[in-house]
Each structure stands twice: as C-alpha cells, then as structure tokens.
Amino acid sequence: MGVSFLFIQRLVKVCRGIIIITLTLFTGIAAHAQAKVTFGKGNVKNVSVSSSSNATDQTGIKTLMSSGYLPNKNAASRLLSQATVGATYDEIERVSNMGIEQWVDEQLAKPNNFRLESYVQGLHQYVVDSLRRTDGSKTLENTFISDWFFDIAWFQGSMTSNDLLRWRVALGLSEVFVTSRISPFEGNPYALASYYDVLMDNAFTNYRTLIEKITYHPSMAVYLTYMNNHATDVANGKQIYPDENYAREIMQLFSIGLYQLNLDGTEKKDSNGKLIPTYNNTDIANLAKVFTGLSWGDSKYLGDSYKNYWSYTKKLKFYAIDSSDAYKRWWITNPRIVNGHEVGPKTFLGSTIPTRSVQDGELDIKDALDIIFNHPNVGPFISRRLIQRLITSNPSPAYIQRVATVFNNNGSGVRGDLKAVIRAILVDPEARDCCNNGQFKGMLKEPFLRYMNLVRGLNLTASGGVFRNVMRRAYDKMGQLPLFSPSVFNFFSPDYTPDGALKGTGKFGPEFQTLNAQTVTGYINALNSWLINDDPVDFYSVFSGEVYKAAQDPRFNLESDYSLTRNDRLSKLLDKYNLILAHGRLSQKTLDSIKNVLLNIAYIETNGVPNVDSAFRRTRIAIYLIMSSPDYLINN
C-alpha cells in the first residue's frame, strides 16, 4: 500500500523513547504567593470532607480523588486497555454505565470458567476419533499433536470467556513466572496448558499459594532443571550437587530481586552508598538443597524419566529416598539406596530450616517458601512487576508503596492477597488519572496485545462459537505469543532502557526491547494481512485430510461502519475506533492526517448507499492507520 510508508516512518520514531507529556494539570491554592498547596486529583493528605450523604461512606473524599464519578467512555476504554486483552464497544459502554470500581469488583468475583488443558484434550480426542475412521489403532497415547494446540485453546478461551480481567492478569503472570515452549517440552501442548491453568486458577488467590503451585508444577521443574534434583552424593566416582537453577531464579525473578528494597520499591543502600544484595552464592547453594527429591507425578522412583504428554499435568512427587538402583537393576540383591532429599540444616536469607528426618524432608520446601514469602522485598518487588504488566513502565515510588502495603496486609491481616493487590493497582489514582503520572507515563503496547486489541475490539465472531486460530503470524511477525519467551527473563527486562529520551533518566521502557526493524515492519505487514487482506485468523488443519471449517476461520464484519465512510462522516468513523482502540488518545494532528489519507481514497455511493469496495477500503485503512500511530502504541 502506498500510504503505509509514511506511517512506518512515524512508527519507527517510537523507539526513540516514550512520548513525553509535558502538560501538567493541577488544582491548587496559593499561600502567601510563595507556595502552592495542591489537593484533589488523588491528593487528600490531611484533608477531610463532610458531605450531605452518609458521613461514613467517604463520598466527599472519593470526589476529590476522582473516584466518585462514573467514568466517561474514554475513561472506561482506558481501564479496559489496562485490565483486559482487548475490549468491545459494548464492554466500554457497560463500564461507563457501571463504574470502574464496580466493574473491577465484579471481575474479581468471577470464577475461572475455561480450562486450557481440558480444551487441548478435547481437541486431541477429536483428532483421534477422526483418524480412527480409517485407522483403528489410533489412541491418545500414539497420536501426536503440536504445541499450537495450546495456542488454539488460549485463543478460544480469551475470545469466549467473560472473566476478562483474569485473562489479562494471567498473561502478566506468565511474563513474571516464566516458562516457555523453547525448552525440552517444545511441542507438548499439555505442558503449556496445564501450567497456564495454574496461572489462571491462582490469578486472584494468594501469592504464597501461587509460588507453591508453580514450584510443584512439572513444566517449571523441567524448565528450570530441578526435576529429579538429587541430594549431594557421589555416584560412579562422580560428585553430584543439587541443581541451583530454580533456587536462584525463584529469588531473583519470582520474589525478591537482586537488591534490598524499601517499601516503595527504591533500592536500599549501605553506609558507603552501595546497593545491598538480597542473597549470595551460599544462600543459593543452601536453598538448592531444599528442592531435592522431586520427580514426576507418575514416576516410580527419583530419577524416573518423563512418560507421556500427561506427565506434565501431574503435581510433582516427593521422594525422600533414592531407590532408583533397585528399579534399574532389579536382579541384584543389594541395590544402592541413598537419600534423594538433602538432610541437615539449610540457612538462607538469614533464616535456618532445622534438621529433620529425611522422611519429613518435604517440610523443608514448605519452610523455604514461607521464608521467601515473608521477605520484606516481596511486596514492592511483585507490586512493581504487576503494575508494569498492567498500567505503566514507570510507576512512582508512592504508587508502588500503596500497592505493596496492600500486599503486606489486605486490610484484614492477610499477606499476599493477589485479589486485593490487583484491585489496588487498578483503582489507584495514578492508574486512573491520565494526567497524574508525570513524564514517561504509560507503556508501549506489547506486540501480542496489539493483535488481541484488534480481534476483540473489532468483535471478531465465530458463527458457531468455536475458533481455530494458532496465531502464528503474531509470533512470526512480532516475536511474541503466550509461553514462547526466548528465556526465563521474559521477552523483555523490567529494567530495560532504550536509547533516546529515556537514556540517563533512570526510567524504563521494557516493551521497547521487542522493538526493532524486523518487528516494526512485521507489525505493519501483519496489520495489512489481518485488516486489508481480511485474514485475521491462522486456521490450521489438526490432521491430514481434515475438511476445512469456514465457521472456525471468521472474518471481520464491519459493514455497520460503511455508512460512516462518507466524506462528511469520516470523523465519526475515526472517533469510534479512537475510542475502542486508543481510548480517545489520538491527537487532533494524527486524526487529521488519517482523515486526509482517507479522503484521497476513492469513494463511490449510489442513491446514498456506499459502494462496498470503497467503504471496505476506507474502514480497514482507517483502523490500520490508527493502530500504526504512536498515539495508539503508547498506552497511557
């Protein structure tokens, strides 16, 4: 397309830094013409307000904090851009009528109503049943399926479930507690689906519950190499030490980070002005001893090898004793029986797990997770990570502290309540006030979220309610899909700073780490394929000879917008998709530029009815250009 190059140029400018918004809004009272006392917009310190309503309901304070109003549609759309993977116009309208806090509370109360593992299994069974018509020997056990069965399940669930917030939070958790198909379980959709179900199930439970579920999941054990981790031993003349990988990463990436933190997420310093490490190599070595004796849930002994697809769906089994020699050399009378779990005291992070019998060794894991859970870094560390995944790359220390305080105590004496933490993140004044974050606010939209914004925002609908979408173009063109990270460090680092305006500011732009010449042009080309070529779904046959199912390979239906493609109604078309996709953030300059492009696209109508081809082109190109603009790409 001839129009796209201009917008590629504009898009490339994004990599120079997050858009700086310099306009500052304030409401204040001057004192002695010297100092300003600012209140409102979330500033209510030492302010009390009496209202005509119930004096205990904080109505007056909520008014000053901007939370006492129903949101307009732009504000509703902005919330949904942070709290969902994509929103329809109907959902935007619903939030604007319902209110932000009410919508968040409703979402937090919804149960998980979609099981990815079950969907994968159902699809697998469909393949087996189909193949058995010509080959009666086919079973689930001998019929191969690919990892993209997980992607089909993920897309189906995200497009049909009504627990929208859970899907967005689980996606964020998958980028903190990282496992990936780039691993020994590449090609196994059960390994991916079962692990993702853990994230879905525990998105609103407790952090302590979540890290235990993750620790006992075989996908994590394989990915971070503590599956069949053995106590210190000498076997066949070779010294064996416990694998330290998980011990390191559970501290560095999943809980406390590298350096001691204040409650507001800022790093503590010693008397010499140096950062204070949270742990050292001795801590890692001792914690590694804790995670010994764990094997597959369907294993017979410590050291047993992986069995089948479903081995990845069963909780790890603890073996105090390594009796593998008795199984491997069953004919000998005196097999070598040794401890599988490391006995003795284990000191790390300033606490000591006491010596206990090897049979009680699994209690070491419980104690270790409790020690990590109660470390003072966890609140600010996890709060910052989740804020970055939902709201902004650069939350203020005050924002982090408010959320970390809720992590430490949800108001009822409970630590680690993720439901309370997610609520605190979303309703915080810094999240809700688009003018309260200072410079470098917001975040670059993740590549995969842009795709989901498109298919959900344009209300892609499968006539039978079933989608068949492996989403491969999202990965091939932009390099991102759920559970496809190149490493345990995710697609991008939370502390990544791109070249440009951010350099030297102490600010971060994590998602810019995914931005390069290949992914920029890939995104533009993918938009062209999804929109202009009207091919938003990657339909794959799940077995050779399968009959094509057109109902599972839907196209966008935008005919209701065709009446807005007339020259005198183009502004209404742009306003609609500015609201749905960018919550009204497109500047007038951007809107005018897009409108000028559309006016130069031939438009034909007969008796007031727009020509289908010209209306099709104008509608699609309008959305294409909106989603190519920096105003859309920076979500703030």
Side-chain angles (χ1 to χ4, degrees):
M1 267 181 55
V3 299
S4 64
F5 181 71
L6 296 175
F7 286 86
I8 291 174
Q9 287 184 313
R10 296 193 64 196
L11 188 61
V12 170
K13 293 179 182 178
V14 177
C15 68
R16 298 176 182 172
I18 296 178
I19 294 174
I20 304 172
I21 306 298
T22 56
L23 178 62
T24 303
L25 298 180
F26 67 91
T27 303
I29 300 175
H32 308 295
Q34 296 286 327
K36 291 180 179 178
V37 178
T38 303
F39 66 94
K41 292 288 185 181
N43 295 304
V44 293
K45 185 177 181 180
N46 299 324
V47 175
S48 61
V49 179
S50 297
S51 64
S52 58
S53 60
N54 188 327
T56 63
D57 70 359
Q58 293 292 300
T59 299
I61 287 293
K62 285 186 174 182
T63 299
L64 279 184
M65 295 192 60
S66 303
S67 59
Y69 302 95
L70 285 174
N72 61 28
K73 289 180 181 177
N74 282 339
S77 178
R78 181 169 177 269
L79 167 74
L80 294 172
S81 75
Q82 299 163 333
T84 74
V85 297
T88 62
Y89 179 82
D90 287 345
E91 193 68 22
I92 293 168
E93 196 165 53
R94 185 168 179 271
V95 173
S96 68
N97 291 327
M98 184 180 195
I100 284 172
E101 292 192 25
Q102 290 81 359
W103 183 88
V104 170
D105 289 338
E106 178 190 71
Q107 286 289 312
L108 289 170
K110 287 183 181 293
N112 180 17
N113 60 11
F114 188 89
R115 311 285 308 170
L116 283 91
E117 182 188 334
S118 297
Y119 197 85
V120 167
Q121 176 109 12
L123 199 57
H124 193 182
Q125 187 66 58
Y126 160 72
V127 173
V128 171
D129 292 343
S130 300
L131 294 177
R132 281 179 63 85
R133 295 171 184 170
T134 56
D135 183 352
S137 68
K138 289 295 184 181
T139 66
L140 288 171
E141 287 73 17
N142 65 20
T143 301
F144 171 79
I145 58 175
S146 172
D147 62 287
W148 45 260
F149 276 55
F150 163 75
D151 300 317
I152 293 172
W154 195 99
F155 190 79
Q156 176 69 24
S158 67
M159 293 295 286
T160 59
S161 300
N162 63 5
D163 49 342
L164 308 179
L165 178 57
R166 183 183 298 274
W167 281 88
R168 178 62 185 268
V169 172
L171 183 64
L173 292 173
S174 76
E175 296 179 358
V176 177
F177 303 96
V178 175
T179 61
S180 173
R181 68 190 83 185
I182 303 176
S183 68
F185 50 85
E186 177 185 17
N188 185 342
Y190 286 95
L192 303 173
S194 176
Y195 184 77
Y196 210 92
D197 279 338
V198 168
L199 302 180
M200 291 285 290
D201 288 341
N202 293 281
F204 305 147
T205 60
N206 192 286
Y207 171 83
R208 174 63 179 79
T209 303
L210 177 61
I211 59 170
E212 181 168 324
K213 295 285 188 181
I214 286 170
T215 297
Y216 276 91
H217 199 281
S219 295
M220 182 61 77
V222 170
Y223 190 60
L224 290 184
T225 61
Y226 62 98
M227 179 68 79
N228 290 317
N229 200 13
H230 201 285
T232 303
D233 191 19
V234 177
N236 299 319
K238 182 180 179 181
Q239 182 71 51
I240 298 172
Y241 295 102
D243 187 285
E244 298 181 352
N245 203 9
Y246 187 61
R248 180 184 302 105
E249 306 308 356
I250 193 175
M251 291 191 290
Q252 179 182 344
L253 301 177
F254 301 168
S255 62
I256 63 176
L258 294 172
Y259 301 104
Q260 292 184 23
L261 303 174
N262 296 302
L263 187 61
D264 64 3
T266 56
E267 293 166 328
K268 293 182 178 180
K269 295 182 179 180
D270 62 19
S271 57
N272 296 316
K274 294 183 177 180
L275 300 178
I276 307 171
T278 50
Y279 60 87
N280 56 34
N281 288 335
T282 301
D283 293 314
I284 295 172
N286 283 331
L287 181 56
K289 296 173 185 177
V290 169
F291 300 116
T292 51
L294 292 172
S295 188
W296 299 97
D298 55 358
S299 61
K300 294 180 180 179
Y301 54 86
L302 184 65
D304 203 357
S305 59
Y306 143 71
K307 304 284 185 20
N308 54 37
Y309 285 129
W310 300 275
S311 298
Y312 275 96
T313 68
K314 297 174 173 64
K315 179 183 175 181
L316 298 181
K317 186 186 294 185
F318 177 77
Y319 288 93
I321 301 298
D322 173 12
S323 59
S324 58
D325 195 41
Y327 283 91
K328 294 176 180 179
R329 298 193 298 163
W330 51 267
W331 60 89
I332 65 174
T333 57
N334 293 305
R336 185 173 185 268
I337 307 295
V338 296
N339 287 343
H341 179 73
E342 185 96 1
V343 295
K346 302 169 183 69
T347 299
F348 76 106
L349 300 182
S351 297
T352 299
I353 297 172
T355 299
R356 48 174 55 105
S357 69
V358 69
Q359 287 79 11
D360 291 332
E362 194 166 15
L363 293 174
D364 290 355
I365 299 175
K366 176 185 178 299
D367 288 350
L369 296 180
D370 285 342
I371 290 168
I372 292 171
F373 174 57
N374 287 294
H375 192 284
N377 262 35
V378 178
F381 181 88
I382 291 298
S383 296
R384 177 177 177 247
R385 291 292 187 274
L386 292 176
I387 293 170
Q388 283 188 315
R389 299 284 38 82
L390 301 177
I391 309 295
T392 178
S393 298
N394 294 290
S396 69
Y399 187 9
I400 295 174
Q401 181 166 333
R402 289 191 293 270
V403 176
T405 299
V406 172
F407 182 97
N408 291 345
N409 185 337
N410 68 353
S412 300
V414 177
R415 177 179 176 82
D417 181 354
L418 291 176
K419 181 180 291 186
V421 167
I422 297 302
R423 188 183 195 281
I425 289 171
L426 291 173
V427 305
D428 190 89
E430 194 165 316
R432 300 279 45 87
D433 188 350
C434 65
C435 304
N436 198 35
N437 299 344
Q439 291 185 337
F440 308 119
K441 62 184 179 180
M443 60 203 295
L444 176 67
K445 283 181 184 281
E446 295 179 46
F448 180 66
L449 280 177
R450 298 174 217 158
Y451 173 64
M452 293 306 300
N453 289 172
L454 174 69
V455 294
R456 287 192 60 87
L458 273 59
N459 201 20
L460 183 68
T461 304
S463 59
V466 177
F467 296 87
R468 177 81 64 82
N469 188 7
V470 303
M471 304 185 288
R472 265 311 183 265
R473 268 172 295 172
Y475 183 77
D476 292 342
K477 299 294 186 182
M478 302 184 294
Q480 192 180 26
L481 270 184
L483 303 190
F484 218 144
S485 171
S487 77
V488 72
F489 297 101
N490 192 29
F491 301 97
F492 41 79
S493 164
D495 299 324
Y496 177 75
T497 300
D499 291 332
L502 282 171
K503 211 70 173 178
T505 64
K507 302 295 184 181
F508 308 103
E511 295 79 7
F512 281 90
Q513 198 165 2
T514 68
L515 196 66
N516 54 52
Q518 182 176 348
T519 58
V520 168
T521 56
Y523 172 58
I524 295 297
N525 289 333
L527 276 180
N528 183 76
S529 176
W530 293 326
L531 277 166
I532 312 304
N533 295 340
D534 197 21
D535 187 19
V537 167
D538 295 329
F539 180 99
Y540 278 21
S541 296
V542 293
F543 61 89
S544 178
E546 183 189 19
V547 175
Y548 172 64
K549 295 175 172 56
Q552 297 181 21
D553 187 15
R555 303 291 187 263
F556 293 122
N557 183 356
L558 305 179
E559 290 182 10
S560 62
D561 295 324
Y562 287 1
S563 63
L564 303 180
T565 59
R566 282 175 21 186
N567 289 352
D568 61 342
R569 304 196 72 188
L570 283 176
S571 293
K572 293 183 182 297
L573 177 69
L574 295 178
D575 286 345
K576 175 180 178 179
Y577 287 104
N578 184 16
L579 169 67
I580 293 172
L581 298 169
H583 49 87
R585 291 293 300 177
L586 267 65
S587 68
Q588 192 58 51
K589 181 179 179 181
T590 298
L591 290 169
D592 289 345
S593 296
I594 296 174
K595 185 176 180 180
N596 287 337
V597 170
L598 299 179
L599 287 171
N600 281 288
I601 296 174
Y603 175 77
I604 303 169
E605 66 176 42
T606 304
N607 297 324
V609 179
N611 172 270
V612 171
D613 289 338
S614 61
F616 178 98
R617 284 195 297 273
R618 281 192 167 192
T619 304
R620 306 295 176 118
I621 291 173
I623 298 167
Y624 171 91
L625 296 178
I626 286 172
M627 295 190 69
S628 301
S629 70
D631 297 348
Y632 162 77
L633 290 168
I634 301 296
N635 197 52
N636 59 24

